[in-house]
Amino acid sequence: MKTRFAGPVLAALCLLPFPARSLDEPRKVVDYDIRVRLDPEKRAFTGTETLLWTNPSQDTVQELLFHLYWNAFRNNRSTFFRESGGQLRGDRADEERGWGFIDVTSMTWDGQDLRPGFRFVSPDDGNPDDRTVLSVSLPRPVGPGETVRLEIGWEAKAPRVFARAGYVRDFYMVGQWYPKIGVYEPAGRRGRAAGGWNCHQYHANSEFYADFGDYRVEIDVPERFVVGSAGALVAERKEGGRKLLRYEQKGIHDFAWTADPRYVVKEDTFEPSRDVPKEELARAARLLGRSEADLTAGMKPVKLLFYMQPDHVDQWTRYADAQKWALAWFGLFAFPYPYAQVSCVDPPEDGIGAGGMEYQTLYTAGTWKGLAKWPLRGIRTQEMVVVHEFGHGYWMGLVASNEFEESWMDEGINSFTEYEMMTRRYRYFLELPFGAGFSPLDLPARGFIPSSPDYDPILAASWKYWGGGSYAKNSYARAGLAVEQVRRLVGEERFWKGFRAYAERWRYDHPTSRDFFDAIALHAPSPWLADLVARTWYGTGFVDYRVLRAASTKVPERTGYDDARKAVNFTEEGTSTKGDAAAKEKGKADGRKDRGKGPWDTVVVVGRDGDVVLPVDVVLTFENGKTWRTTWDGRSKWLRLKTTYGSKLARVDVDPEQRVVLDRDSMNNSRFLPAHDGPSAAAKVRTYGVHLVQILLSTLWTLV
Ligand SMILES: [Zn+2]
């Protein structure tokens, strides 16, 4: 009996999406109780925190590592400054008065002073001047599973904002602001052979990787400030012209806040029964093979808070629409949002360096007054920045991959979900005349991918790409498009099953790149997948399909000798010409009458540049309107198609449905033969618009 059932049982086991290891809630490793006071005159923050840290490993741990992020702005010798040159996303540091810092002034464990064990370390680049990672050597080791309770005091000064955190006038964006313990990874986590610290320096382009826990934060500010934070407000007390606000949030790994007297706070609610579009719910149920009731079961109402600048208040509904849509979309295609609230911070225009930035349960958007007016109001920047920054709350936030070491898992998957959400709800990022427009995918596919050759694979630590442009291209556009490529390769249903399985399985659980590929391969196996992953994520491969040759010539009337050696259509020397000449004249007349009739010899050659091999469709369209389609496996460098047919070739299209979204140059994928009318007006507008997009892209970098 056992033998008889072994086959079906094994098959059933293989169908299980994953080992039943998905976490319903995060493993709690840290617990922060923070009290912080802002002195706006001095831009100074004074804080104390009680940190409980539980050793999650089987090791005895002899030292603790802490992030001191604001020391990135301490001076121009920090690794952050050296990497960024004091310039990020178009914003420059104010090197006259803009410096900031954080100093740990006290740290005790069971009353014992730990300061003698302090030293700064630079695990990534050995920079002796970087002060963003503090090592604390302990008087005795922390045993497996043991919880230490540390009392920490610190003083900090905010930098003038140019890179995410800091101040301008009375606006404060307070991110990465407290002494934050690094991650001690137990053996087995993210494929680690032995346990050890994972605590990177603050780099120009990456900053997130932390353990989950609970936060209680008391913020003490002058009464005039309006404050928003990652937590829910649980208590408020006013005294002596100041106010003390107490916030709490469980199950997060980061806590950011903001303060500005000018904020106009708008409130709304994401109500799943109202805000999940019915057709999207039906579509998700069909693609994922789940019931609608199952998909909506975990969705809860979410309180939405928008901290708006007074001159942007009229734009808050655009943020709100995109926010509700993003909550609905992620709830369907990843998993329901587990927190009770989300805060969207709208920075002032002179503090836009703080804009377009993600934290947990709180993110910064960004807009300009002019973007609400014609003709710029047709550009969907506000929606894009909301779905993008909120989306990070899933990848960097809830799934919690290591953004330092595998930045594409955050920015790249997030770019993919951004393109998808923007396309599903808004269709065009930018609408042009004649019914044309730029889809959200056009920006990366037509702008970034063709713009430069590749010298880096997608998968690299953020500071190890050859330069900032390579980091940006590979972590965002190329990675986002590569995920889109996987989707087009394996098909909608299988892709989304794999995608959702990845998100659900790895919620709160710090996956690696390999875990993503495994999830897709399990649900959407494809003979093309391993090669695509190897050549793009782990290599610098690219692909450009193009039409190399397209010709259609009328098959000429037979001229010469036939099989019986009779002269056809010509006059043999030394023979009478009378009858033949008449026949020849008749032939000419018939030829005029038959012009445009077949048969026609058609030759088409399509080629593949680059080493990423993907199947591609080739479509021949003839003047009589008939089409002939074939799928080329792309394995040879070029393919020749020949046919003799009663109509002349009108056009050739390689990949007309754009299934090869990684195709570096789609402008060479079609060729029209002379008699044909050529591209439509809409297609021409698109073509000319490509240049416009490339100009726009440089501006948009402020907001990613
Ligand atoms: Zn981003």
Side-chain angles (χ1 to χ4, degrees):
M1 290 295 281
K2 272 181 185 169
T3 317
R4 196 178 147 206
F5 283 106
V9 168
L10 276 178
L13 282 175
C14 292
L15 287 175
L16 286 177
F18 279 102
R21 284 174 49 209
S22 300
L23 299 175
D24 287 330
E25 51 187 57
R27 292 185 199 90
K28 186 175 163 179
V29 175
V30 296
D31 183 286
Y32 285 91
D33 199 327
I34 305 179
R35 298 152 296 276
V36 62
R37 179 187 166 90
L38 167 64
D39 176 354
E41 305 303 315
K42 295 180 178 155
R43 313 293 186 185
F45 294 74
T46 315
T48 58
E49 74 191 38
T50 305
L51 167 62
L52 306 183
W53 178 76
T54 303
N55 177 357
S57 73
Q58 296 302 308
D59 312 333
T60 52
V61 175
Q62 191 63 59
E63 69 164 344
L64 304 178
L65 291 186
F66 286 86
H67 293 285
L68 299 179
Y69 288 98
W70 280 9
N71 281 339
F73 309 106
R74 194 173 192 97
N75 56 51
N76 56 4
R77 294 192 170 190
S78 72
T79 289
F80 185 102
F81 250 75
R82 287 182 169 182
E83 287 176 350
S84 67
Q87 195 168 6
L88 205 70
R89 305 185 301 173
D91 243 24
R92 274 211 75 81
D94 176 351
E95 297 191 29
E96 289 292 308
R97 60 205 157 123
W99 305 105
F101 62 81
I102 176 168
D103 283 329
V104 177
T105 51
S106 64
M107 188 182 288
T108 60
W109 178 21
D110 288 342
Q112 203 169 348
D113 187 1
L114 298 181
R115 281 179 303 172
F118 281 10
R119 79 193 155 96
F120 289 104
V121 293
S122 298
D124 301 335
D125 65 357
N127 176 2
D129 295 316
D130 197 54
R131 298 286 178 267
T132 60
V133 179
L134 176 70
S135 162
V136 181
S137 132
L138 298 171
R140 69 163 180 85
V142 184
E146 183 184 350
T147 298
V148 297
R149 180 192 174 97
L150 303 175
E151 299 294 342
I152 303 170
W154 82 91
E155 291 170 3
K157 178 177 175 289
R160 191 178 155 86
V161 68
F162 82 100
R164 308 172 187 129
Y167 72 89
V168 61
R169 293 175 288 100
D170 259 355
F171 163 79
Y172 288 84
M173 185 58 229
V174 193
Q176 309 290 26
W177 52 285
Y178 53 95
K180 185 175 180 181
I181 196 160
V183 176
Y184 192 90
E185 295 184 314
R189 178 145 154 193
R190 297 178 60 253
R192 254 191 116 115
W197 283 101
N198 192 304
C199 185
H200 292 289
Q201 296 161 251
Y202 192 6
H203 291 278
N205 292 318
S206 62
E207 59 194 278
F208 289 108
Y209 183 48
D211 276 313
F212 286 92
D214 300 342
Y215 281 75
R216 292 170 302 287
V217 179
E218 190 172 83
I219 298 170
D220 175 353
V221 290
E223 221 177 294
R224 69 178 188 280
F225 279 93
V226 178
V227 176
S229 94
L233 183 65
V234 293
E236 181 170 358
R237 181 156 58 89
K238 290 182 181 167
E239 56 184 43
R242 298 186 66 91
K243 60 182 174 189
L244 279 79
L245 305 159
R246 193 163 175 79
Y247 296 93
E248 287 184 10
Q249 182 62 57
K250 290 187 191 305
I252 53 175
H253 57 70
D254 169 70
F255 191 102
W257 58 284
T258 182
D260 188 340
R262 289 161 32 104
Y263 278 139
V264 177
V265 183
K266 293 289 182 184
E267 253 192 76
D268 204 340
T269 306
F270 167 72
E271 182 53 65
S273 60
R274 181 193 63 204
D275 296 323
V276 178
K278 297 285 172 282
E279 63 281 8
E280 283 299 323
L281 176 58
R283 176 172 171 266
R286 177 173 56 78
L287 291 173
L288 296 167
R290 298 195 187 189
S291 72
E292 295 187 8
D294 177 29
L295 286 176
T296 51
M299 291 191 193
K300 293 175 292 194
V302 180
K303 183 177 175 182
L304 312 176
L305 292 160
F306 300 87
Y307 294 85
M308 302 299 296
Q309 295 300 315
D311 49 354
H312 298 159
V313 172
D314 57 336
Q315 299 187 45
W316 85 278
T317 50
R318 288 184 60 176
Y319 287 161
D321 183 76
Q323 175 61 79
K324 289 178 190 174
W325 164 234
L327 277 160
W329 189 89
F330 273 105
L332 294 174
F333 289 95
F335 49 81
Y337 188 70
Y339 304 119
Q341 71 171 49
V342 188
S343 297
C344 169
V345 175
D346 176 51
E349 294 180 18
D350 54 353
I352 198 66
M357 190 53 208
E358 65 276 15
Y359 300 96
Q360 273 204 290
T361 82
L362 177 149
Y363 61 87
T364 65
T367 187
W368 287 267
K369 287 188 287 291
L371 285 177
K373 298 193 177 75
W374 189 90
L376 297 180
R377 66 172 179 236
I379 304 177
R380 302 204 184 277
T381 317
Q382 296 92 321
E383 290 81 2
M384 185 191 80
V385 72
V386 166
V387 301
H388 183 95
E389 306 310 337
F390 173 74
H392 278 299
Y394 269 77
W395 309 121
M396 165 283 284
L398 289 158
V399 168
S401 52
N402 185 327
E403 192 231 348
F404 290 98
E405 295 180 7
E406 296 171 283
S407 55
W408 84 269
M409 295 188 73
D410 182 31
E411 294 293 0
I413 295 177
N414 193 42
S415 293
F416 165 75
T417 52
E418 172 209 315
Y419 307 151
E420 174 68 2
M421 283 185 279
M422 289 300 290
T423 305
R424 295 293 307 167
R425 185 154 185 92
Y426 305 108
R427 187 173 177 210
Y428 289 130
F429 172 74
L430 169 63
E431 207 154 337
L432 298 170
F434 302 108
F438 284 102
S439 78
L441 265 177
D442 281 331
L443 298 172
R446 312 287 163 252
F448 291 118
I449 292 300
S451 64
S452 59
D454 294 303
Y455 298 100
D456 283 309
I458 289 173
L459 174 54
S462 74
W463 65 96
K464 290 185 176 171
Y465 296 97
W466 73 262
S470 184
Y471 154 77
K473 178 177 177 177
N474 282 292
S475 295
Y476 290 76
R478 189 160 168 252
L481 283 179
V483 177
E484 177 70 26
Q485 184 63 71
V486 170
R487 168 198 187 170
R488 292 179 188 209
L489 188 65
V490 301
E492 286 288 276
E493 290 185 22
R494 299 194 311 157
F495 173 80
W496 288 113
K497 285 189 178 109
F499 187 84
R500 176 153 173 148
Y502 163 73
E504 279 187 302
R505 160 62 191 91
W506 291 101
R507 178 177 49 199
Y508 309 126
D509 210 9
H510 316 291
T512 62
S513 300
R514 192 42 68 190
D515 297 320
F516 179 82
F517 304 134
D518 286 350
I520 299 293
L522 186 65
H523 289 266
S526 159
W528 305 90
L529 194 59
D531 191 60
L532 175 65
V533 168
R535 290 184 194 277
T536 50
W537 271 275
Y538 294 89
T540 57
F542 73 98
V543 62
D544 180 20
Y545 283 113
R546 71 187 300 166
V547 180
L548 295 172
R549 184 177 171 209
S552 209
T553 50
K554 193 170 184 321
V555 178
E557 259 185 277
R558 190 191 303 272
T559 302
Y561 293 104
D562 68 6
D563 292 344
R565 263 203 274 155
K566 182 172 178 284
V568 181
N569 264 335
F570 80 110
T571 307
E572 248 181 319
E573 278 178 61
T575 59
S576 159
T577 61
K578 201 180 169 197
D580 279 350
K584 202 172 174 182
E585 280 310 305
K586 184 178 179 298
K588 275 185 187 167
D590 288 351
R592 277 193 296 276
K593 200 170 64 188
D594 290 350
R595 192 169 10 231
K597 287 191 180 166
W600 298 78
D601 277 335
T602 291
V603 182
V604 167
V605 183
V606 293
R608 168 178 57 78
D609 190 16
D611 59 355
V612 172
V613 178
L614 292 163
V616 69
D617 284 351
V618 182
V619 178
L620 276 52
T621 305
F622 295 89
E623 287 189 341
N624 65 2
K626 293 273 183 347
T627 59
W628 184 69
R629 173 183 290 257
T630 188
T631 301
W632 175 31
D633 66 12
R635 293 200 191 278
S636 54
K637 286 295 283 182
W638 54 266
L639 173 76
R640 177 159 43 217
L641 301 167
K642 288 170 80 170
T643 182
T644 301
Y645 179 59
S647 178
K648 191 183 174 192
L649 182 70
R651 61 182 289 177
V652 185
D653 297 281
V654 186
D655 194 26
E657 285 86 26
Q658 298 196 344
R659 285 177 56 215
V660 182
V661 72
L662 282 178
D663 194 327
R664 181 173 273 182
D665 182 2
S666 62
M667 307 294 274
N668 59 22
N669 284 22
S670 295
R671 189 171 297 179
F672 299 87
L673 271 72
H676 196 76
D677 289 340
S680 64
K684 279 180 187 156
V685 169
R686 262 180 69 86
T687 306
Y688 299 132
V690 163
H691 303 292
L692 174 66
V693 166
Q694 282 165 344
I695 294 162
L696 270 173
L697 286 173
S698 53
T699 318
L700 289 170
W701 270 111
T702 333
L703 289 171
V704 289

